[in-house]
Amino acid sequence: MSSALTDLFPHPIVQAPMAGGVSVPQLVGAVAEAGGLGFLAAGYKTADGMYQEIKQLRGLTGRPFGVNLFMPQPEYADPAAVEVYAHQLAGEASWYDTELGDPDSGRDDGYDAKLAVLLDNPVPVVSFHFGVPSPDVLDSLRRAGTFTLVTATTADEALAVQRAGADAVIVQGVEAGGHQGTHRDNPEADGAAVGLLSLVAQVRETVDLPLVAAGGLMRGSQIAAVLAAGASAAQLGTAFLATPESGAHAVHKQALTNPLFVRTELTRAFSGRPARGLVNRFLREHGPYAPAAYPEVHHLTSPLRKKAAASGDAQGMALWAGQGHRMARELPAGELVAVLVDEIAGARAALLDAGASS
């Protein structure tokens, strides 16, 4: 099973699917051409928008790539709590001269329509975030020739992934930037997420699937560490966010290494689900009061985030970033893959030398 995954791409490097316009075809194609596995992010796009990006990507590379889908979300948000949060954000709407978004704009992210496209026009790899697809869905994709991965943030979630019949599991540690891919958003579990190396070890002892390790990885030496711990590959997001091919806003890219932004936090402020971002004014002021309400809060704050980005205001943007953000390198994506590969080789050689001399 591990070779079925790693045979798809020469180097054990996966570019994370970053929704919101970051994982554009140019980035995914550059990573694929360099020997990694690039991922398009279908989240927050229409089914046709996803299909058009797939067509564009296929014009850039003939190598394997992946597409990531968000699972539909159950209705468990408290409407009263969302309304209270909307009142709190009224000042932000006035400041940015815009209306708040409609919190009831949709919960399924066009899941069924996107699945239909991916079954009619199969891609090499599909991954899922925020839950586990049904065994029927995973089986249908397998019959179409598609390799499937599902994110897990605990060993129990990884076991659910295996039982559903996915081909591999993405093990996401607490260090990861952006949204935690928990299968169910439980506010009582806030602060209970596990670090990547510990999580890889726990999942390795729980399931037989190949693992892709994700969370704060920025250097080849870190990749070598998770490979030694039992992962088949490593998934990096923030490391690729700073590349010129990335579709991230220039302000977002600059903020990764800007000394004004010294740390990250998991917050519900922008979307209603725990997501790791650089601590800015919006996160500080609203994070403590944001309800567990995804995607309602995401829809609510969308116009605010767009206006902040349009005006270049980093203090009002969702600056998703992993804990290793200060180590970001502004290298072209293909060059970054090559540098990481060299660093992996160097770390492995150092371990062999240390073993030989002991």
Side-chain angles (χ1 to χ4, degrees):
M1 288 293 292
S2 179
S3 63
L5 171 65
T6 54
D7 284 352
L8 291 170
F9 45 105
H11 305 309
I13 296 169
V14 178
Q15 163 253 310
M18 293 169 280
V22 179
S23 296
V24 293
Q26 292 79 4
L27 172 61
V28 180
V31 171
E33 285 295 297
L37 180 66
F39 259 95
L40 291 173
Y44 311 134
K45 292 185 175 71
T46 63
D48 184 63
M50 177 193 74
Y51 176 61
Q52 294 303 323
E53 286 202 345
I54 291 171
K55 284 176 58 179
Q56 185 181 352
L57 177 57
R58 282 178 165 147
L60 297 174
T61 183
R63 298 196 176 190
F65 63 91
V67 175
N68 175 255
L69 300 182
F70 287 168
M71 293 296 298
Q73 297 301 290
E75 294 189 30
Y76 59 78
D78 179 1
V82 175
E83 186 175 353
V84 168
Y85 194 54
H87 284 302
Q88 182 179 329
L89 296 177
E92 298 283 352
S94 176
W95 174 258
Y96 288 113
D97 191 25
T98 188
E99 299 290 330
L100 294 175
D102 178 5
D104 300 315
S105 296
R107 322 191 51 78
D108 67 358
D109 199 47
Y111 178 75
D112 289 337
K114 291 172 184 175
L115 268 180
V117 171
L118 294 171
L119 289 171
D120 287 342
N121 302 271
V123 299
V125 183
V126 170
S127 68
F128 297 86
H129 210 58
F130 297 148
V132 187
S134 70
D136 286 347
V137 165
L138 294 169
D139 189 52
S140 295
L141 287 166
R142 184 176 298 107
R143 290 198 306 270
T146 297
F147 193 93
T148 56
L149 303 94
V150 181
T151 301
T153 62
T154 67
D156 285 344
E157 288 182 349
L159 192 57
V161 172
Q162 178 170 277
R163 287 171 174 163
D167 295 314
V169 59
I170 300 168
V171 181
Q172 186 191 39
V174 69
E175 304 94 334
H179 285 93
Q180 290 282 298
T182 50
H183 295 180
R184 185 181 184 280
D185 184 16
N186 178 13
E188 295 180 2
D190 284 2
V194 179
L196 181 58
L197 280 174
S198 294
L199 187 58
V200 167
Q202 291 174 26
V203 174
R204 182 72 287 154
E205 294 184 2
T206 305
V207 302
D208 297 323
L209 297 177
L211 313 182
V212 176
L217 303 174
M218 303 292 288
R219 295 287 187 266
S221 57
Q222 294 171 298
I223 296 174
V226 296
L227 296 177
S232 298
Q235 180 171 281
L236 291 75
T238 306
F240 286 104
L241 194 151
T243 63
E245 294 92 343
S246 155
H249 194 288
V251 170
H252 193 169
K253 294 182 181 184
Q254 294 160 6
L256 295 175
T257 53
N258 186 328
L260 287 175
F261 301 101
V262 298
R263 62 189 178 89
T264 64
E265 277 186 14
L266 286 171
T267 184
R268 297 179 182 272
F270 298 102
S271 73
R273 241 185 185 272
R276 184 173 296 283
L278 300 174
V279 176
N280 60 4
R281 178 194 61 78
F282 194 103
L283 190 156
R284 284 193 301 270
E285 292 182 2
H286 302 294
Y289 311 104
Y294 177 89
E296 287 87 351
V297 172
H298 164 78
H299 295 315
L300 196 67
T301 66
S302 179
L304 303 177
R305 291 179 277 118
K306 289 177 180 176
K307 287 298 290 282
S311 61
D313 181 8
Q315 297 300 328
M317 296 169 61
L319 302 173
W320 304 137
Q323 287 184 342
H325 65 94
R326 298 299 293 273
M327 301 167 72
R329 297 180 280 203
E330 297 179 10
L331 297 174
E335 186 177 335
L336 177 58
V337 171
V339 168
L340 290 168
V341 169
D342 286 345
E343 290 175 347
I344 294 169
R348 284 172 162 170
L351 283 173
L352 290 173
D353 289 343
S357 61
S358 61

